[in-house]
Amino acid sequence: MQPTERISINSNLDYPIGKIINQELQNSEKTQIAVAFLKSSGVDVIRDSLLRSLDNGGKFELIVGLDFKTTDPKAMKYFLDLKRQYKGVDFYCYGDKRENRNDVVFHPKIYLFKNSNENISIVGSTNLTRGGLESNFEVNAIFNEKNPIQFSKLQAIYNSVKYTDSLFTPDEEYLMKYSDIFHMLEKNEYSTRKDKSVRKIILEIQEKESQLPGTIPSLKKLLVEFLKSEKAKNHDEVTLNKIYEYLEERVKDPIFAGRFKMDTFRNSVRGEINHNEYSNTEERSLRLFKRVGNGVYSLSEFGDKFEGR
């Protein structure tokens, strides 16, 4: 009987993990990767295998961290361009600890490869950089399974990251501003972070992140979607109780598991509405909702046009 699971521990000093990743990637029908840092040098290592997988109809998904503004904007642009060329590509960023909603440093290194015969998962210390894939002192565990026990556990961890509203897909405008900051920090991180004009750009980046599409809608996005659906039914004005009822049902979806505290959920809804109410003149208010009566709301012109998450 063939074993259903093979486990190996790999050091780059023995055999570069990049060779194993390329071998699995080129034959993968579905690839999911989450790494803390991404560099153009890492893209160079896996490019041929990635394109082979995509040309064969494979799907590829990548989540990268932005902590300390270390991820390379040139590499980010490569995956944005690739996403336009192949329907099977998804690319997400996890916001910097200073700006993300969870206030945690994003530091995983998870590689998941799935095909019709086997499930391969790699977890350890390797980021998507040439050094990580080829020459650094890296150590990784590799699981080859027909019955995907460890694979499923790692995929659950991956999904716990994927379905948070700290995730977003950057666009060209975001990438330009991020690139400016990245290159400034490369030259002199200490003086750059003290520069008020730089801090202003970082705040603009943060605001842009909150408006870019992700994998899971934010509370404000759910509010906008519901009010738009009601408006399509000629119900321009909606009571707060009706909003509560819809959202309480909507967030039962498993993708929201652990996202909200249901005993205080209505307070969260009111807070989101108040923060983004049309009459709110605070700089960070998106002014999406209009209060048109006691406990009655409609979308503002900004809400009608809202495309973020």
Side-chain angles (χ1 to χ4, degrees), residues 67 93-106 159-167 209 216 257-260 309:
D67 286 297
C93 293
Y94 191 99
D96 192 311
K97 177 181 184 294
R98 295 173 177 84
E99 287 87 37
N100 74 54
R101 290 176 178 268
N102 295 328
D103 194 34
V104 294
V105 171
F106 185 74
N159 285 340
S160 73
V161 172
K162 179 179 176 179
Y163 295 115
T164 67
D165 61 2
S166 291
L167 240 63
E209 286 180 8
I216 180 173
R259 177 69 182 85
F260 301 107
R309 72 179 191 283

Side-chain angles (χ1 to χ4, degrees), residues 49-256:
S49 295
L50 172 56
L51 293 177
R52 181 177 296 183
S53 172
L54 293 172
D55 286 338
N56 289 333
K59 294 183 178 180
F60 180 86
E61 187 173 275
L62 174 63
I63 302 173
V64 301
L66 299 181
D67 286 297
F68 320 115
K69 302 295 185 286
T70 303
T71 282
D72 181 351
K74 182 180 176 183
M76 292 166 65
K77 187 175 190 313
Y78 174 81
F79 284 106
L80 286 180
D81 291 342
L82 200 66
K83 182 176 167 63
R84 295 188 190 98
Q85 296 172 40
Y86 293 92
K87 291 182 179 179
V89 173
D90 284 309
F91 175 60
Y92 305 105
C93 293
Y94 191 99
D96 192 311
K97 177 181 184 294
R98 295 173 177 84
E99 287 87 37
N100 74 54
R101 290 176 178 268
N102 295 328
D103 194 34
V104 294
V105 171
F106 185 74
H107 212 242
K109 292 89 179 174
I110 299 172
Y111 297 79
L112 302 171
F113 307 100
K114 188 175 183 66
N115 58 54
S116 56
N117 298 317
E118 207 166 24
N119 304 276
I120 300 92
S121 49
I122 300 173
V123 62
S125 63
T126 293
N127 279 303
L128 202 47
T129 65
R130 183 179 293 279
L133 294 166
E134 294 185 344
S135 58
N136 292 352
F137 185 9
E138 310 281 358
V139 180
N140 295 276
I142 305 161
F143 301 89
N144 297 70
E145 304 171 286
K146 292 194 179 295
N147 181 21
I149 296 172
Q150 306 306 326
F151 183 94
S152 296
K153 290 177 182 177
L154 284 167
Q155 191 166 58
I157 293 171
Y158 178 94
N159 285 340
S160 73
V161 172
K162 179 179 176 179
Y163 295 115
T164 67
D165 61 2
S166 291
L167 240 63
F168 66 94
T169 296
D171 61 9
E172 295 294 338
E173 180 187 347
Y174 175 89
L175 198 55
M176 285 178 62
K177 290 184 177 181
Y178 177 90
S179 183
D180 289 343
I181 296 297
F182 174 86
H183 293 301
M184 289 179 195
L185 289 171
E186 266 193 324
K187 290 178 182 177
N188 190 323
E189 180 171 358
Y190 179 73
S191 63
T192 296
R193 289 204 180 274
K194 292 183 68 177
D195 190 314
K196 288 184 178 179
S197 64
V198 171
R199 184 59 194 164
K200 183 175 182 293
I201 297 173
I202 290 176
L203 288 173
E204 289 173 358
I205 289 174
Q206 177 185 348
E207 185 61 32
K208 181 68 175 174
E209 286 180 8
S210 71
Q211 298 173 32
L212 289 165
T215 57
I216 180 173
S218 65
L219 193 51
K220 65 176 174 288
K221 179 70 171 180
L222 293 174
L223 281 159
V224 169
E225 285 179 349
F226 178 58
L227 291 174
K228 281 185 177 180
S229 69
E230 290 298 295
K231 188 173 182 179
K233 302 172 188 174
N234 294 319
H235 302 152
D236 289 356
E237 301 176 356
V238 183
T239 66
L240 194 54
N241 279 334
K242 193 169 183 181
I243 291 171
Y244 288 150
E245 290 171 5
Y246 169 79
L247 291 179
E248 285 169 344
E249 190 63 31
R250 179 74 170 83
V251 299
K252 289 179 181 178
D253 189 311
I255 66 170
F256 295 105

